[in-house]
Amino acid sequence: MSRIVVCPSEDWALRAATYIIEFLQKKLHAGPQDHVTVGLAGGSTPAAVYRHWNLQAPPNFAWSRVSLYLSDERMVPLDHRDSNFRLARECLPKAPHLYPVNTTHTSERAAEDYEELLRDTVRVESGSGIPSLDLLLLGVGTDGHTASLFPGSSVLEERQALVVPSTHPESGQERVTFTLPLIQAASRVVFLVSGEAKSTILARVLAEGGQSMFPASRAALGSRDVVWFVDEEARGAPGA
Ligand code: 6PG
């Protein structure tokens, strides 16, 4: 199932944060002893959403039972301006369980270790044997990439490993990324897309079919429950 939620741009980040909080509160109340697991989008778009999440979560929000993982990471020091961990750590200071990628290792070793962490700490769904995150937040690049799965990259076809090394096609920056099997095993995937610069790619990604060249399309079409949480500027709505 896939649906689109469009918000006025001025409300988008707060509405997205409220959506995340309400979704997680239901999960936390449904299993009072369980940890709830969340994959975080990287890049710059989600920062405002994470800040609102941190501020708007009610006093009874059980941060101690929320485990946060990075859907991808740049292989830079954790305090580097490009670090997705740094951004998440700054925007979500109330979350005690934010798991960094060990970027002091090679990307191969870092990917293996992060996959092992996910297998050890995220509920594995029966049958597939793949960890199923309760919620996975993703962004979309203007080339249609998501996480660090870039168009035309061989890692898009990875079917065994859950976290692999990746390289940004323009900058050559080394990264690690969730693969499609891990993304598509999540209980719910929420794409966070805002800004006029994403309107063209969003329209193309939403229009594409299963064998799309766009990783974001591939991720969405193979996932069981997808919400596109977009603002009017990205959607190209009349109000934009
Ligand atoms: C990353 C992200 C990536 C991001 C898109 C959008 O580490 O770069 O995981 O997939 O979500 O590139 O980035 P912006 O939000 O900065 O536009």
Side-chain angles (χ1 to χ4, degrees), residues 83-220:
S83 169
N84 286 332
F85 172 81
R86 180 197 55 77
L87 182 78
R89 182 69 291 164
E90 284 177 2
C91 296
L92 292 164
K94 293 177 185 172
H97 306 302
L98 169 62
Y99 294 103
V101 171
N102 187 334
T103 58
T104 64
H105 288 322
T106 63
S107 56
E108 289 77 11
R109 172 76 188 278
E112 288 168 10
D113 288 356
Y114 213 62
E115 174 166 337
E116 185 177 346
L117 169 73
L118 285 154
R119 288 188 179 280
D120 289 346
T121 58
V122 177
R123 174 179 54 82
V124 173
E125 64 178 8
S126 58
S128 71
I130 299 176
S132 176
L133 291 160
D134 292 303
L135 175 65
L136 176 55
L137 306 174
L138 291 173
V140 180
T142 52
D143 61 354
H145 80 259
T146 193
S148 283
L149 298 173
F150 296 98
S153 169
S154 59
V155 298
L156 265 173
E157 308 313 323
E158 175 61 50
R159 287 295 173 270
Q160 298 307 315
L162 304 179
V163 185
V164 296
S166 178
T167 304
H168 192 287
E170 287 160 17
S171 67
Q173 188 180 57
E174 279 198 84
R175 303 189 172 190
V176 297
T177 183
F178 283 10
T179 59
L180 286 177
L182 179 57
I183 289 171
Q184 294 169 345
S187 296
R188 176 165 299 172
V189 175
V190 177
F191 285 92
L192 300 171
V193 189
S194 74
E196 195 276 331
K198 298 290 176 75
S199 60
T200 300
I201 191 59
L202 179 63
R204 294 186 66 190
V205 161
L206 291 174
E208 293 276 316
Q211 284 314 309
S212 165
M213 62 177 283
F214 298 127
S217 300
R218 297 273 299 276

Side-chain angles (χ1 to χ4, degrees), residues 40-48 50-51 70 73 78 80-93 98:
L40 297 178
S44 57
T45 299
Y50 298 160
R51 290 192 181 97
L70 301 167
E73 182 59 289
L78 298 184
H80 190 282
R81 69 178 181 283
D82 284 352
S83 169
N84 286 332
F85 172 81
R86 180 197 55 77
L87 182 78
R89 182 69 291 164
E90 284 177 2
C91 296
L92 292 164
L98 169 62

